[in-house]
Structure formats: structure tokens, C-alpha cells
């Protein structure tokens, strides 16, 4: 039995739970858990490996309170979701249906998850729920509707509890079905035009994606997913259109929406959510009787949480009447509940009656229940102190959660000292105007949607919006100044956890300061400080757009700060390597960054610019004008002792070696670099370009497969690196790794299913990170793998992929992609179309590394039309070039084809003389298809010779 007594640590999988301090770690990183989820985990950890009955878990999380089983399941689901963020393929919390749960180490992880079993987006955070009261029947009915229908809309007035019921229900489904739920809050979408960008952002799709609706459908199409779209009433048409398109283009996606009105979408089923149950009027109630109804139960429970309130018989009838006056609205009840901690229920009822008479009358517009909620918000607002009201208005500027320091910064124009601000926050919490979340040992706050909208309107009408927007923008500038300073000391995941959550607030600040010119210089500074975040999130198009706008504004306002300009130009140069279609413009950007960095004497910026420029030159697989750039990079890196720049130089030299087919020295260089990187802490490895460790492993695996006698080692390395690239959660790294090595090795080794799995992930990642120009590479692999695995036989998709590659970015011009399409076309007899691609490559000049394989493919065509003499000559030339290039993978393939041709001509001894010397030099990988075919052919040739001899 494990214990969480002081100084005891419970370990399970990669996790360590420190019971005394109530903290959970995965490695050195702290896992964020809510209060009840932590209580559950502590209770499970005390009896690790043993069944913990449900009653024990109830007592741990809700001591002395009766709650429905749904609350337990929702909390367990929340805990599982938090653990999955760090260990996505494993489940450490086991269920014994009807009895309880236990914590286990013994996890059997599958070798590979199907794409359908991967989340549509990582780290989706649900709003933290309090105890769900009085909604058992509704949750059960809603679960049935979601199971039977692909689009279910929960409809009801504001404050009725739609989000609470929706979140509780979908988390139950996630817990019981193992489903994949994505929560998307549309309250921040200020108009119809922001719906698709909001959904795209929640799914991790870059704001720069050209067709985000296509990207959304593409990511969801291959998944079993449940999407919760929360707060849709102000953007009904756009949400309905989104749902229609997604459901038409997917099979295993279900959507749940919450709205004050039905969407009127094609497949919509409406679930009307009623208010909580209130006691009938016209009778007197005892305390025991009144809490049998869900509305009074919620009021008493929340008042008890705020101030240990207990309902007595003398209060019971007034409590019943309060709930009737509030129409059973959960939000209104939440707002009223704190008053019961300081005065009697009859007194609160009198206050409420007086206020409602003033605020709600015949002249008010809208349904009575909406008037009731507005009146309750206004009544609650009127009860705030001056400081509390000022703080509430100011914090409506935040897009997400915020901490106390952030609050102090945005109320600076009110001249409130920190103590007053702290007291105001405490008052807002006590009056249920503010929610609190415990994250990573700290307190963070958030406003509910209705409260944020209400306070936001007050902020604008008060005339304080410009001052608060300026303070908010300066706060973001300070946060990302710290982010830049933390780049060198924090590993990737903690840095991401600390700063990625501020992305929406950074966008809002840049929008106000730069694009709406609230403070152009501040906006320029924000863009410069945000460059590391866009690199971390691989939001290349967003980085490009913001840097270009900031540079234009820099010139417009006549700014003269060269260091600031350099940050913008280097940020622009960094993304130009991957997404620029205008070679002249990209070159100007690189050269401007290099020149300005030299003028200022910023060697780090110079290294970044030189590395980006060299990479841009080398990406298509050529070395045009790259030597001068590489010499400059090496000189600056050595002079400044810039280790990442030295690594970059080694990577780029390796690219040059690959172009020249110098595989042994390239492998040796990468293996030396790999050893150096193994001794480097994660905090020292830059995550703001490509992950160097994964990049080195990618190069080693690809070159080992192609240019050594150990193709099996190359294949196993590619498989490991593919998983590591996925687990790194860094878009640019995954894209680079998959298109420059991983998919090449897997496809050539005929690992069709695994390659298709990673090609689908590649396409998702390209869409997510706003690099749609790279979609042709993903489509090339998807179409080819579908054909090679027999899923499709027609040539249309393959030829379309060829056209996309041919007309796309020059950075995508690796001829290995085209060779894969040719093989796929040949596989189904579409030889003429394959030759069309082949002729194109020879017309433009094939890349040296691909010449042996392209010649071999030409020989396949020649044999297909009976030109065996031509095929013999072509294969002999192919084998010679492969030997000259040191390309062992092409050598064995060419030798096998040549030996097959000679066998067919009954030249058996000559066939053996061609194949045996090549096959005999391989050291591993004999289960790889190329070597299997070669081995089988050799066996046949030897048996043939023995048969002749006998």
C-alpha cells in the first residue's frame, strides 16, 4: 500500500505525487490540477493498486455533502484529461463499474494510436465546474440525445446553466466512452466573421491558414471526436454554416452547442433546458421540505460554501420565494447566495423585491427570464464597493484567466493601492462575480461569459476602455519580455505552459495598439516581443503578417530604434525560410537582417539571419550561393561562441553533403553532434526554430537507411524519431522531420499504415500552423500511400498531387516526392502517367541523390514495352551511379531489378554476380522488403544453379 504521509512520494508512470504539498509532477514539470481532482488523486494514491470505493472518493472531495454520482465521474474525467496531457497514450486510473476506481502503474500502451484516436487538439481546458446540483435527469436525457444525433443544441435563456450541463455531460461521455472532447468557447467571438477563426484557434489551426474551414474539416474528418461549441446565440448563422460543413465532410464527429436560440442547422436536434425546480407558491415550507427542490438546494449549497450558511425552518419559505423570484435561474441564484451569509432570507427577499420593482418593468425589452438575469447582474453590481466595481470593469479586458499581478496592472488608472485591489478581488469572489481556479500552485481568476459581457459594456460606456487597453497592452509587453528572458533557462513544456496561454491576450493587445493604432510604438514592441511565442506555436503566417505590419508602421511613425527593427526583420526572416514564395523578397529580407545585425553588432541576430538564409537556399535540395553564407555563419558563431549557431552550421553542412551524396561524412558529423546534444539540458536547446535533437535524429535515420549498410537501423531510428517529433509538440519540428526524412524512410520500406498515419498528422500540423503552402507535400504522401496500400487505384489524385508539387513553393522541390508518386502510378499500371512525371524531372535536371532511383524507374517503363536492351543499359547505368553516390538503398534495388532482368534472359550466373556482392555487404534490415526481395531472388538463382548442376 502506498502512502502520502509527509515526506512520502507516490510514483506512477512518469508522475510523482507529493502528498504533503499536494503537488503532482511529471519529470520536473508540475501538472495542473483543480482542487477536487487533487483530492481524488490523493485518495487513490493512498491505496495505489487497490480498489477505492466511490464512497471514499465522495468523502474526500465533498465531505459531509450529498452529491450525485455524475459529479464524481466528471471529476475523474477531468483528472484523466490532465494526466493525458503528459502521457497521452496511457490511462493510469482504472474503473470497476459500479464500485469505484484504482490507480495503477500497469499500463499496456499500444504501439501506435490510430488517427481517429488522437485528440483534435491537445490540452483543451474545460471551465472548472462547481458541484452540479439538480441536473441528473437533464444530464441523462442529454446523453441519450448526443448518442443518437450528430448535432445537439442545448437551448435556454442566459444563466440557465447550459454550459454547466453541457460540460458535465460531455465529460461523462469522455470518461465512459474514452471519447475525445474539444471545448470551444465562442463567447469571445465578437461577430459572425470570428466564428471560424475562433474554432480554428481552439483546434490549434494558425490564424494565417488560407482556408480555415477546410482545415477544420480536414483535421476532424479522420477523427472520432465530440466538439462542444459554447455560447453561440450571437453568431447563429456562422455556427450553423460551420456545423453543416463539418458534418457533411466527416463521419465520426458529433457536435454539441449551447445557445439561447436554436441554430436552425440541417441536422440539429434541440434540447430545451428548463430552469431548476422551484417550490410551488401558496404554502409554507420547512427547511427539510424546501431543499427537496433543486433551486433552493443550489442556493443553500452556495451560501454554505461562502459562509457556512444553514437553512432553518424560519428561513425556508423566504428561500423558496427567492428562488421563485429568480425563476430558478442558476446564475441569478449564484449571484444572490452570498447575501445569505450576512443577513436573513426574509431580508434578502425584501431587498430583491425592491430592486426588481425598479429594474424590471413593463417597458423592459426581452423575455422576462433575461430581464431577471440582467436585473440580478445590475443588482449585484450596485452592491459592489467603488473599488470592486472599478476592478470588475477593468478585468473584463482579459480574454482568458488572469492573476492578481495582472489585475493590479490594468487598474493602475484608478490609483488603487495593491491592498485595495486585493480586497476588491476578494469581495468579487465572495459576491460570486468572479470565479477562481487553482493552477500550478497559484490562483487565477476568470469572469463567466455573462458577467464579462456585462462588465465589458460598462467598461466601454464609462470611457475607461482606452486607458485599460493601454494598461493591458503594457502588461502583455512585460509578460513577453520575461518570456524572452526565460527562453534560455526553461525547457520547452514549462515555457509553453507559462506563456502560451497569453496568446489571445497578446493578440488583443496587438490589435488595439498596432492595427487600430491605439499606440503604434507599443504595438511594434509587442510584435517584436511576441516573436518567440509564434515560433514556439509554429504560427508562421501570423508571425509574418504581424512583422510586416509592424515594419510598415515603424517607417510610418518614423521610429529610429535599430534594435527594435532588427527583431522584426529577424522574426520575418525566420519564417521566410519555410513559407516565402517570393524569392526576391525573401532574399531582401535575409540581406536586410544580416546587414542591420552587423551594423548594431548583434551577433546572435546575425547568426539567426545567416542560418535562415542558408536554409532557404538549401531547402529545395540545391546549394546555390550557399557557401558564402555558411562561411559567414561559421565565422560569427565561432567568434561569439554561439552554440546553437554552431549546431546550425553543422546541420547545414550536412545538407550540403547530402546534396553531394557524401553520406558517410554526413552521418559521422550528425553522430558527433548527437553525442554533444545528449549532454545538453533542454533549457539550452532552442525551441524557437527547429528542435536540434530531433533534427539530428531525422538526418541520421534517413542517411543510415539510404547511405549505409544498416538500413534496419535507419528504419528503427525513423520510427523512434517520428514519435519523438510528435511528442515534442512543436509544429515546425514535426513538419521538417516528417518531410525531410521520416516519411521518406517509412514509405521506401513499405510501412504503408504507419507512413499514412504520420502523413495524416503532417497534414493536420501544416493546417494548424498556418503553412498551407506545404500541403502539397502532405497530399503527395497521402495519395501515394493510399495507392501503394491498395486503397485507391485511379491516377487522378496522384496526378493532381504532381501538379500541386510542380507549381508550389520552391522549398518543396525534393525529387524524392515525385519518385514516390511514380512508384504509386506504376503500382496500378498507370505507366504513361508515371513517365510523364519522370520526363519532367529529367527535363529540369534530376537531383543527384535521386538519379539512380529515377533511372531504375525509367527501366521499369522500358521493360513494360518490351525494350529489354534499353532497360539493361539503363539499369547498369543506375547501378553504377548508385555505387558512385554511396547510395546502398538504391544499389540493392537496382541490383535486384538488373538481376531479375538477367534471370529472365536465362543469364543466371551473371544475375548472381550482380546481386551477391551487393546483398552480401548488408549488415541488418533483412526483413525490409527490398532486402527480402533480393534475398528471395538470390535463393531462387542459387537453387536454379544447383538444379542445372544436378
Amino acid at each position: 500500500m502506498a502512502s502520502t504521509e509527509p515526506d512520502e512520494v507516490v510514483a506512477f508512470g512518469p508522475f510523482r505525487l507529493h502528498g504533503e504539498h499536494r503537488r503532482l509532477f511529471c519529470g520536473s514539470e508540475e501538472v495542473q490540477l483543480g482542487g477536487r481532482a487533487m483530492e481524488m488523486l490523493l485518495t487513490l494514491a493512498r491505496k495505489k493498486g487497490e480498489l477505492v470505493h466511490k464512497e471514499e472518493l465522495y468523502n474526500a472531495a465533498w465531505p459531509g455533502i450529498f452529491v450525485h454520482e455524475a459529479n464524481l465521474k466528471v471529476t475523474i474525467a477531468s483528472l484523466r484529461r490532465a494526466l493525458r496531457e503528459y502521457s497521452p497514450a496511457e490511462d493510469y486510473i482504472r474503473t470497476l463499474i459500479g464500485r469505484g476506481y484504482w490507480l495503477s502503474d500497469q499500463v499496456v500502451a499500444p504501439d501506435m494510436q490510430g488517427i481517429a484516436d488522437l485528440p483534435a487538439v491537445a490540452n483543451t481546458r474545460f471551465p472548472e465546474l462547481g458541484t452540479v446540483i439538480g441536473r441528473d435527469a437533464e444530464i441523462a436525457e442529454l446523453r441519450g440525445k448526443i448518442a443518437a444525433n450528430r448535432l445537439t443544441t442545448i437551448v435556454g435563456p442566459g444563466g440557465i446553466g447550459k454550459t454547466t450541463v453541457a460540460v458535465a455531460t460531455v465529460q461523462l461521455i469522455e470518461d465512459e466512452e474514452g471519447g475525445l472532447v474539444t471545448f470551444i468557447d465562442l463567447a469571445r467571438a465578437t461577430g459572425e466573421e470570428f466564428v471560424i477563426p475562433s474554432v480554428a484557434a481552439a483546434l490549434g489551426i494558425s490564424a494565417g491558414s488560407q482556408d480555415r474551414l477546410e482545415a477544420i474539416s480536414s483535421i476532424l474528418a479522420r477523427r472520432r471526436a465530440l466538439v462542444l461549441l459554447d455560447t453561440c446565440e450571437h453568431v447563429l448563422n456562422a455556427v450553423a454554416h460551420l456545423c453543416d460543413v463539418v458534418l457533411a465532410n466527416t463521419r465520426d464527429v458529433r457536435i454539441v452547442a449551447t445557445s439561447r436560440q436554436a441554430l436552425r442547422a440541417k441536422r440539429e436536434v434541440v434540447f430545451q433546458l428548463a430552469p431548476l425546480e422551484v417550490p410551488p407558491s401558496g404554502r409554507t415550507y420547512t427547511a427539510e421540505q424546501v431543499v427537496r427542490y433543486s433551486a433552493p438546494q443550489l442556493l443553500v449549497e452556495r451560501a454554505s460554501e461562502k459562509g457556512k450558511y444553514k437553512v432553518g425552518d424560519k428561513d425556508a419559505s423566504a428561500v423558496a420565494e427567492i428562488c421563485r423570484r429568480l425563476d430558478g435561474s442558476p446564475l441569478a441564484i449564484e449571484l444572490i447566495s452570498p447575501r445569505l451569509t450576512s443577513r436573513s432570507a426574509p431580508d434578502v427577499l425584501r431587498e430583491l423585491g425592491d430592486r426588481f420593482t425598479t429594474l424590471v418593468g413593463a417597458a423592459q425589452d426581452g423575455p422576462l427570464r433575461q430581464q431577471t438575469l440582467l436585473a440580478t447582474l445590475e443588482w449585484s453590481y450596485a452592491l459592489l464597493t467603488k473599488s470592486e466595481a472599478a476592478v470588475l470593469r477593468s478585468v473584463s479586458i482579459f480574454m482568458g484567466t488572469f492573476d492578481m499581478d495582472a489585475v493590479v496592472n490594468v487598474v493602475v488608472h484608478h490609483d488603487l493601492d495593491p491592498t485595495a485591489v486585493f480586497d476588491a478581488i476578494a469581495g468579487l469572489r465572495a459576491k460570486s462575480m468572479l470565479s477562481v481556479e487553482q493552477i500550478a500552485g497559484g490562483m487565477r481568476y476568470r469572469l463567466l461569459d455573462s458577467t464579462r459581457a456585462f462588465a465589458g459594456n460598462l467598461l466601454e460606456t464609462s470611457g475607461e476602455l482606452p486607458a485599460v487597453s493601454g494598461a493591458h497592452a503594457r502588461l502583455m509587453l512585460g509578460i513577453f519580455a520575461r518570456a524572452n528572458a526565460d527562453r534560455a533557462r526553461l525547457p520547452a513544456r514549462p515555457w509553453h505552459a507559462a506563456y502560451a496561454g497569453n496568446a489571445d491576450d497578446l493578440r488583443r493587445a496587438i490589435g488595439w495598439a498596432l492595427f487600430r493604432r491605439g499606440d503604434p510604438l507599443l504595438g511594434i514592441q509587442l510584435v517584436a516581443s511576441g516573436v518567440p511565442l509564434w515560433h514556439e506555436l509554429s504560427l508562421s503566417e501570423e508571425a509574418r503578417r504581424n512583422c510586416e505590419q509592424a515594419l510598415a508602421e515603424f517607417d510610418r511613425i518614423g521610429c529610429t530604434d535599430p534594435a527594435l527593427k532588427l527583431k522584426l526583420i529577424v522574426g520575418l526572416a525566420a519564417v521566410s525560410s519555410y513559407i516565402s514564395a517570393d524569392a526576391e523578397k525573401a532574399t531582401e529580407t535575409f540581406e536586410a537582417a544580416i546587414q542591420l545585425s552587423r551594423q548594431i553588432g548583434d551577433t546572435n541576430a546575425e547568426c539567426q539571419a545567416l542560418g535562415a538564409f542558408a536554409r532557404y537556399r538549401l531547402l529545395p535540395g540545391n546549394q546555390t550561393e550557399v557557401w558564402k553564407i555558411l562561411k559567414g555563419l561559421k565565422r560569427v558563431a565561432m567568434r561569439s561562441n554561439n552554440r546553437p549557431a554552431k549546431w546550425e552550421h553543422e546541420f547545414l553542412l550536412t545538407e550540403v553533403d547530402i546534396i553531394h551524396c557524401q553520406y558517410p561524412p554526413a552521418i559521422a558529423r550528425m553522430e558527433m553532434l548527437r553525442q554533444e546534444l545528449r549532454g545538453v539540458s533542454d533549457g539550452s536547446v532552442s525551441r524557437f526554430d527547429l528542435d536540434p535533437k530531433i533534427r539530428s535524429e531525422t538526418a541520421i535515420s534517413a542517411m543510415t537507411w539510404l547511405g549505409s549498410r544498416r538500413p534496419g537501423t535507419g528504419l528503427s531510428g525513423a520510427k523512434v524519431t517520428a514519435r519523438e517529433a510528435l511528442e515534442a509538440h512543436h509544429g515546425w519540428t514535426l513538419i521538417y522531420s516528417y518531410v525531410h526524412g521520416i516519411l521518406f524512410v517509412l514509405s521506401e520500406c513499405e510501412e504503408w499504415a504507419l507512413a499514412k498515419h504520420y502523413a495524416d498528422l503532417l497534414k493536420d500540423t501544416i493546417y494548424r500552423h498556418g503553412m498551407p503552402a506545404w500541403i502539397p507535400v502532405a497530399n503527395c504522401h497521402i495519395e501515394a500511400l493510399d495507392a501503394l496500400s491498395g486503397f485507391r487505384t485511379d491516377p487522378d489524385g496522384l496526378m493532381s498531387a504532381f501538379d500541386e508539387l510542380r507549381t508550389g513553393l520552391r522549398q518543396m522541390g525534393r525529387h524524392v516526392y515525385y519518385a514516390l508518386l511514380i512508384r504509386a502510378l506504376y503500382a496500378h499500371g498507370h505507366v504513361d502517367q508515371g513517365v510523364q512525371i519522370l520526363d519532367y524531372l529529367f527535363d529540369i535536371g534530376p537531383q543527384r541523390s535521386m538519379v539512380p532511383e529515377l533511372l531504375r524507374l525509367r527501366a521499369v517503363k522500358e521493360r513494360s514495352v518490351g525494350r529489354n536492351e534499353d532497360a539493361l543499359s539503363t539499369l547498369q547505368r543506375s547501378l553504377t551511379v548508385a555505387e558512385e553516390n554511396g547510395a546502398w538503398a538504391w544499389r540493392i534495388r537496382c541490383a535486384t531489378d538488373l538481376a531479375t532482368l538477367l534471370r529472365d534472359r536465362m543469364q543466371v550466373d551473371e544475375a548472381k554476380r550482380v546481386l551477391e556482392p551487393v546483398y552480401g555487404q548488408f549488415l541488418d534490415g533483412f526483413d525490409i522488403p527490398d532486402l527480402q526481395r533480393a534475398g528471395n531472388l538470390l535463393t531462387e538463382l542459387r537453387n536454379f544453379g544447383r538444379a542445372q548442376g544436378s
Side-chain angles (χ1 to χ4, degrees):
M1 178 184 297
S3 171
T4 55
E5 295 302 314
D7 301 322
E8 293 272 350
V9 176
V10 177
F12 58 100
F15 299 100
R16 300 293 182 272
L17 175 63
H18 297 253
E20 179 184 9
H21 302 291
R22 300 170 57 84
R23 300 179 74 181
L24 177 67
F25 292 88
C26 181
S28 61
E29 303 169 39
E30 185 164 3
V31 181
Q32 303 172 4
L33 293 180
R36 288 197 173 98
M38 176 58 77
E39 291 295 343
M40 294 280 185
L41 184 58
L42 287 168
T43 304
L44 293 166
R46 290 188 186 102
K47 299 176 70 174
K48 177 185 165 187
E50 301 177 23
L51 178 68
V52 179
H53 291 278
K54 291 187 291 185
E55 291 73 18
E56 294 179 64
L57 296 170
Y58 286 132
N59 290 333
W62 298 277
I65 300 173
F66 171 78
V67 296
H68 190 269
E69 185 178 6
N71 290 280
L72 174 61
K73 290 184 176 180
V74 166
T75 306
I76 289 289
S78 174
L79 176 57
R80 279 178 166 147
R81 172 175 283 266
L83 297 179
R84 257 187 238 123
E85 290 184 16
Y86 293 82
S87 187
E90 299 168 348
D91 188 1
Y92 296 97
I93 300 176
R94 304 295 184 85
T95 306
L96 186 60
I97 296 174
R99 296 184 62 191
Y101 302 86
W102 77 92
L103 186 67
S104 174
D105 263 329
Q106 299 173 0
V107 176
V108 179
D111 292 335
M112 179 186 73
Q113 289 178 291
I115 189 78
D117 298 319
L118 291 171
V121 63
N123 306 327
T124 300
R125 288 191 65 86
F126 285 95
E128 194 168 315
L129 298 180
T131 308
V132 182
I133 293 175
R135 292 301 194 186
D136 302 342
E138 288 89 343
I139 289 172
E141 183 182 353
L142 180 59
R143 287 170 67 187
K145 286 189 177 294
I146 294 171
N149 301 284
R150 294 191 63 200
L151 173 58
T152 306
T153 304
I154 305 170
V155 174
I160 204 70
K162 299 184 292 294
T163 300
T164 296
V165 170
V167 169
T169 305
V170 300
Q171 288 206 90
L172 281 176
I173 293 171
E174 182 177 51
D175 181 55
E176 294 173 5
E177 297 182 7
L180 302 159
V181 181
T182 299
F183 174 81
I184 302 174
D185 181 6
L186 291 177
R188 304 173 191 174
T190 55
E192 301 269 353
E193 67 273 23
F194 296 111
V195 168
I196 289 175
S198 297
V199 174
L203 291 173
I205 299 167
S206 165
S209 293
Q210 294 173 353
D211 189 341
R212 281 172 284 194
L213 185 53
E214 179 187 346
I216 291 166
S217 296
S218 175
I219 285 174
L220 293 176
R222 297 179 296 281
R223 284 176 168 79
R224 201 170 37 84
L226 177 58
V227 179
L228 173 52
L229 303 174
D230 192 40
T231 315
C232 301
E233 56 271 359
H234 58 304
V235 286
L236 290 173
N237 292 332
V239 173
H241 175 63
L242 169 77
C243 293
D244 287 342
V245 171
V246 168
L247 294 181
N249 288 283
T250 62
R251 291 182 303 173
D252 296 320
V253 174
R254 291 174 288 172
I255 299 175
V256 178
T258 71
S259 175
R260 298 183 187 183
Q261 303 174 52
L263 303 178
R264 301 190 183 278
K266 291 179 181 177
R267 310 185 191 196
E268 180 181 30
V269 172
V270 173
F271 178 82
Q272 192 77 41
L273 186 62
L276 293 173
E277 187 181 14
V278 298
S281 59
R283 57 170 291 188
T284 302
Y285 292 91
T286 65
E288 182 181 358
Q289 292 170 335
V290 79
V291 295
R292 293 173 184 170
Y293 298 89
S294 56
Q297 187 183 354
L298 176 64
L299 178 60
V300 170
E301 174 65 23
R302 294 298 185 252
S304 174
E305 291 173 358
K306 296 291 183 183
K308 308 302 180 186
Y309 172 77
K310 289 187 178 181
V311 63
D313 289 343
K314 63 179 181 179
D315 274 3
S317 294
V319 165
E321 183 60 26
I322 289 171
C323 293
R324 285 194 292 272
R325 292 298 305 272
L326 298 177
D327 295 311
S329 167
L331 178 56
I333 289 170
E334 295 265 3
L335 291 169
I336 292 295
S337 63
R339 300 295 284 174
L340 288 176
T341 64
S342 59
R343 47 196 25 85
S344 69
D347 288 341
V348 173
L349 179 60
R350 280 192 295 274
E351 291 178 0
L352 191 61
D354 293 342
R355 188 68 180 172
F356 274 33
T357 300
T358 303
L359 293 174
V360 181
Q364 292 286 332
D365 294 329
L368 178 60
R369 215 165 254 128
Q370 292 183 22
Q371 295 178 37
T372 299
L373 177 59
L374 177 60
T376 306
L377 283 165
E378 291 181 347
W379 179 73
S380 299
Y381 182 74
L383 295 174
L384 301 180
T385 66
K386 184 178 179 181
S387 296
E388 290 168 350
V391 169
L392 181 67
R393 293 193 302 272
S394 297
V395 298
S396 68
I397 196 73
F398 292 110
M399 301 296 291
T401 62
F402 49 90
D403 60 17
M404 185 62 68
D405 288 340
V407 178
V408 171
N409 276 276
V410 298
V411 300
V412 66
H413 61 290
H414 286 294
D415 294 324
L416 296 172
D417 65 59
T419 302
V421 176
F422 182 87
D423 291 342
I425 288 291
L428 291 171
R429 285 182 58 195
K431 294 168 183 174
S432 295
M433 299 293 280
L434 198 64
S435 297
V436 63
E437 296 181 4
Q438 190 85 16
I439 298 177
M443 304 285 278
R444 295 191 67 84
Y445 307 94
R446 65 180 176 89
L447 294 175
L448 297 178
D449 298 333
S450 298
T451 310
R452 182 191 292 113
F454 174 77
N457 287 333
L458 292 174
L459 178 65
E460 190 167 1
T461 57
S462 69
E464 298 169 347
L465 183 58
V468 174
S469 296
H472 174 256
R474 289 187 292 274
L475 170 66
M476 289 301 109
L477 185 62
I479 287 173
F480 283 96
R482 291 198 301 276
N484 289 338
D486 283 344
R487 288 168 58 184
R489 71 175 189 86
L490 285 180
R493 193 190 288 269
W495 193 96
H496 185 107
Y499 297 108
N502 293 292
D504 284 335
D505 278 299
L506 178 62
R507 290 188 183 105
R508 179 167 190 163
I510 290 173
W512 171 81
L514 183 66
F515 288 90
R516 293 194 295 278
R517 294 181 175 172
D519 187 335
L521 179 58
L522 180 56
I524 294 168
Q525 293 168 333
L526 282 165
V527 170
S529 68
V531 166
L533 178 70
W534 295 314
H535 279 261
E536 165 63 19
L537 300 179
S538 300
L539 299 177
S540 52
E541 281 290 346
E542 186 169 0
R544 179 199 59 77
R545 185 180 63 253
N546 286 336
C547 287
E548 288 182 346
Q549 180 67 27
L551 285 165
E553 200 67 10
F554 187 97
D555 293 335
R556 188 189 71 82
I557 66 174
C559 186
T560 58
D561 184 345
L564 179 59
K565 185 174 184 178
L566 179 60
K567 291 179 182 178
L568 300 172
I569 296 177
V570 170
L572 183 58
V575 298
S576 295
S577 292
Y578 304 101
I579 65 173
S580 178
D582 187 334
E584 183 178 349
K585 184 178 179 181
T587 300
E588 289 176 359
T589 300
F590 295 128
E591 291 177 344
I594 294 167
Q595 182 179 2
L596 186 55
S597 62
R598 288 172 177 169
Q599 290 175 0
I600 295 174
D602 188 332
T603 56
N604 184 59
E606 185 179 356
C607 287
Q608 287 181 276
L610 286 165
F613 195 10
R615 191 162 54 246
Y616 183 72
R617 294 292 194 196
L618 287 170
L619 270 173
N622 62 59
Q623 55 173 334
T624 307
E625 301 175 12
V626 79
W627 284 111
K628 182 179 178 182
I629 305 170
L630 287 177
K631 288 178 181 178
L633 175 60
K634 182 177 182 180
R635 183 179 63 253
V636 180
M638 296 298 290
R639 188 175 73 241
S640 60
N641 195 27
N642 186 324
R643 283 205 300 173
K646 293 177 183 177
W647 300 335
E648 181 67 19
H649 181 259
E650 293 300 295
F651 283 123
L652 295 171
L653 278 182
T654 300
E655 290 283 343
V656 174
D657 282 341
I658 291 172
I659 291 169
H660 287 286
C661 302
Q662 298 295 313
Y663 302 118
I667 293 171
R669 180 183 293 107
M670 282 296 96
E671 287 180 339
M672 288 180 62
L673 183 56
R674 174 168 64 182
Q675 291 300 321
E676 180 179 348
L677 289 169
R678 282 175 176 170
V680 174
S681 66
D682 288 341
S684 302
V685 175
S686 172
R687 271 284 296 238
F688 306 96
D689 187 32
L690 297 170
D691 185 302
K693 293 182 178 180
I694 294 173
R695 192 176 174 188
S696 66
E697 296 295 344
T698 299
I700 289 170
S701 62
M703 290 187 295
T704 301
W705 181 84
L706 176 60
S708 85
R709 295 176 294 157
R710 298 183 179 274
T713 302
L715 175 59
S716 60
K719 290 180 177 180
V720 171
T721 306
R723 292 195 298 270
E724 291 176 346
L726 178 61
E727 293 167 359
H729 301 295
H730 188 244
W732 287 3
T733 294
L734 185 145
I735 293 169
Y736 185 93
S737 178
Y738 283 15
V739 303
H740 286 92
I742 301 303
L743 288 176
F744 164 64
V745 174
L746 295 178
S747 300
E748 297 300 330
C749 293
E750 300 182 19
E751 296 274 354
W752 309 133
L754 191 57
K756 178 63 162 55
H757 170 73
Y758 288 127
D760 285 336
L761 285 173
L762 170 66
K763 189 170 184 178
D764 283 1
T765 305
I766 291 169
Y767 270 130
R768 289 187 196 281
H769 296 293
M771 301 174 74
W774 285 85
I775 286 294
V777 177
N779 285 343
C780 162
H781 285 92
I782 290 169
E783 292 290 343
L785 292 164
D786 278 347
L788 289 164
S789 59
F791 183 75
R792 290 184 60 177
T793 60
D794 64 278
D796 296 344
L798 295 165
M799 295 307 294
S800 176
F802 164 59
D803 288 336
E804 289 179 5
L805 280 175
R806 184 168 50 87
T807 59
L809 283 181
R810 62 188 295 274
Q811 294 97 307
M812 302 185 305
R814 302 242 165 178
H815 291 183
V816 65
Y817 309 145
Y818 297 96
L820 183 63
L821 291 174
I822 297 169
R823 288 173 59 205
L825 286 162
Y826 281 6
H828 295 287
H830 306 300
V831 178
D832 290 341
Q833 289 91 334
V835 172
Q836 181 182 337
I837 301 175
L838 196 59
D839 289 344
Y840 163 77
L841 294 177
F842 278 105
D843 286 344
I844 65 173
Q847 293 165 359
R848 177 176 171 178
S849 62
M850 289 303 299
V851 168
E853 176 66 353
L854 296 177
L855 286 171
R856 187 190 70 82
L857 291 170
R858 173 176 282 178
V860 173
K861 160 65 176 177
E862 291 166 343
R863 287 211 69 186
S864 72
V865 294
R867 292 164 47 197
N868 286 340
E869 287 298 328
D870 291 339
L872 181 64
S873 175
T874 301
L875 285 171
Q876 287 171 338
R877 182 181 166 205
S878 171
L879 187 57
T880 299
V881 176
E883 185 175 358
E884 291 172 351
N885 287 355
W888 284 93
W890 302 149
R891 283 183 71 183
I892 191 63
R893 199 174 283 181
C894 294
T896 302
D897 280 12
L898 180 56
T900 301
L901 175 57
L902 292 168
R903 178 205 62 187
D904 294 345
R905 293 161 61 105
M906 301 304 294
Q907 295 175 268
V908 175
D909 290 339
E910 182 65 23
K912 283 194 291 185
R913 281 195 293 272
V914 166
L915 189 54
E916 276 181 333
V918 180
Y919 182 81
Q921 295 187 65
F922 281 88
L923 301 175
D924 68 18
F926 296 101
D927 56 345
I928 289 174
D930 283 333
L931 285 174
Q932 283 184 332
R933 281 189 285 269
N936 292 338
L937 180 57
L938 265 180
T939 300
E940 179 187 341
L941 294 172
R942 289 163 179 163
N943 289 338
F944 187 83
R946 282 194 288 269
Q948 280 188 323
S950 64

